Amino acid sequence: MVSFNDLHKHPWIYRLTNVKHMASLDNKKMVFELKQTSSLLVVLHGEGQLIYPGASIRLSRGRAYIVSTCNQAAIRSESEDFQLFILEWAVEWVSSPDGPSSHNQRNAKLAMPTALQRIGELYGQPFSQVVAYVEEMDQYKDSQDPIEQFLVQVRFQELLLFLLQQNKAPSFEESMKQSVERSIAYIKLHYNDILTVDELADRYKVPRWQYSRIFKKLTGQNPLQFINMQRMIQARKLLLVTHDRLSDIADQVGFANEYYFSRKFKQDIGISPGQYRRNHRENVRVFAPFLEDFLMALGITPVMQCSHDRWGKQDYLNLCHVPAYDLCKKDVNQLSSYKPDFIVLDGGSDRWFSTQSLQKLAPTYVVRHFGENWQLTLRTVADLLGKRGTAENIIDEYRHKASLAKLSLKQKMNGQTVAFLRISAGSISLYSSSEHGYTGPILHQDLGLAPDPFVLRRTRQQRKILLSMVELPMLQADHLFITFDKGHSRYTEEERAITQTPEWRSIRAVQTGCVYEVDFFTWMNYGVLSHLQKIKDVLDALG
C-alpha cells in the first residue's frame, strides 16, 4: 500500500470529462452504449439495467453506480420515465520527480480507492446531496468562464469525496456484513411490518446489490424469502397455540389478507393452514404408504399399511394389527372405509396411486424424494403432523447409536471390506458405496466400514448397477450382505437359484462363509427404523 508520505511519488487526479443528462423521450424506452471510460451513473427516475460482459446490475431511482473502465457496457431503460446523469471521468497520473514511467502509474493505480476500481452500486446518502452536486456540474458544464469550469471540477472532487467516505475499504466489507447482521435481527423482531429490500438496505446504509449478496451469504436466502420464512414460523406457532381465526393470524404475521396468507402457507408448507392445525391434534388418522417407517418412529400408527403380493409387508415395523392395503389391486375404495384424515405420499407413489383419486378421500401431500437424506424426510413428515421436536430427538438418538456401533466395529474389523447385493430372478444389483443408495451411507459413512475397491470402480457413484454373472467372482469383499427380491420370481424361490452356480461359489465371501442374508424391506428402505435395524444386523453379523 502507498503511504501518505509517498503520494508525491505516485500522485493521481480525477478529471471530469463529460456530463450527460439522459432520459426516455416520447415515453419510449432506450438503450445506449457507455464509452470506454470510467463513469458515474446517478439515476433520477425509473428503473433500468447496466449490462456488461457476463453480468448485469439493476439500476434504481435514487441510487448511484460506478462503472470502471469497461470495453463493453450499455444501459437499458426498463420504464418509460427512466432518467439519469452520466458523469464520465478520467484518471490522470502526474509525472513524479523521477520522471513518468509505467511502473509509477501501476503503483498509483494500486493506491486508488477500491470503490473506484469496480462496477457496482455506491452507497450515497442523503441522495439529495448527490443530486445537488450533479445538477450544479450540469448547469456549468458548457460554460466558457474559467472560474465556472474550475467550479465544475471542484464539485466533481467533492462528490467523489462524499461517496468515498461512505464506501471505505478494506474495513467497509466487514462493516457491511455487521450492518446486514443487524438487519437480520431487526427482521426477526419486525417480520409483521411492511419490509422491502430497498428500505432495509437504506436503513442499514448498505448498497442494495451488496445488501442482497451479503444477506444470502449469511442466511442462504434472499431477504424476501427470509422475511416470508419468519412470518411462516410465527404463523405455525399461532396455529398451534391459539384458536385465532385465520384472518387474525394473517394480520398478526404481516399478510394483507387471509386469502394471500393461505395461498403462501400452502405454497411453502405444502398444506393449508386449517389442515396444518387439524394435523397437530392428537390421534390424527394417517395413511402414508412406504412412509410407515417415519410414522412409527414419530409414534403415529397408520390406519393402513402397504402390502405387495410378492414382496409382502414391512414386517420389521410389527404392524401385524394394522390392516393391509394391497398395492397391486390399486383399489382406493379399500382405503375409504378406514377414513383417513390425511394422506402422505412419497416421490415414487405415482407408480401405485392416482393422487387425484386419493385427494377425494382426504387432503393429500406428496413428499419430495429426499432419498438418502432421511433426516429431511423425517423432519418434513414431522412438521406436517406436529412432531418436529420428536423428530430432532430421534435424529440425535440415531447419531448416538450409530457412533457407538462405528467405534465397536472399528476395533473389530481392522480394515476388512463389505459389499451389498440385491438379488432377483432376473438380475443382480450391486449397491454403491459411501454416498448413495439404501445401504451405502449406513455401511460406509455411519458405520465407517471400508467398501470393496471393486465396488468403487464399478459403481462410479451411481446408486446401483447391474452386475453380470461373469463379474461375480471379481467381488472381493471380506463380508457380503445380500437380500432376495421376490418381485420377478415365476415360482417359489426362483431368485435363490443363483446360489447353486459356480460363479456364486467362487465369490470370496461365499468361500469364507461371510455372507449374511438380511430382510428385503428393512434394507430396501430409507426410514430411520430400517436404518437402525441395518445397524443391528451388521453388529449381529460382524460383532
Side-chain angles (χ1 to χ4, degrees), residues 149-159:
Q149 290 177 6
F150 181 64
L151 173 66
V152 171
Q153 295 296 335
V154 169
R155 291 291 179 264
F156 181 63
Q157 304 301 317
E158 290 175 339
L159 173 59

Side-chain angles (χ1 to χ4, degrees), residues 34-54:
L34 290 178
K35 290 184 177 180
Q36 295 183 23
T37 183
S38 297
S39 301
L40 182 68
L41 314 180
V42 179
V43 183
L44 303 179
H45 296 287
E47 304 287 332
Q49 272 199 330
L50 171 65
I51 304 166
Y52 57 97

Side-chain angles (χ1 to χ4, degrees), residues 520-531:
F520 175 77
F521 259 128
T522 304
W523 281 61
M524 296 291 97
N525 198 315
Y526 288 118
V528 58
L529 297 182
S530 78
H531 289 342

Side-chain angles (χ1 to χ4, degrees), residues 32 34 38-44 49-50 59-60 63-67 74-75 82 84-89 120 122 127 130 134 163:
F32 52 89
L34 290 178
S38 297
S39 301
L40 182 68
L41 314 180
V42 179
V43 183
L44 303 179
Q49 272 199 330
L50 171 65
L59 304 178
S60 300
R63 302 187 182 280
Y65 304 85
I66 191 76
V67 184
I75 297 172
F82 188 57
L84 81 164
F85 278 108
I86 302 175
L87 280 60
E88 297 175 352
W89 50 281
L122 288 177
F127 188 71
V130 176
V134 174
L163 294 172

Side-chain angles (χ1 to χ4, degrees), residues 5 34 245 267 279 313 372 392 476 493 539 543:
N5 292 330
L34 290 178
R245 296 177 301 175
Q267 179 182 324
N279 284 356
K313 295 180 291 187
E372 289 83 355
E392 297 307 319
Q476 293 295 306
E493 297 196 344
L539 289 174

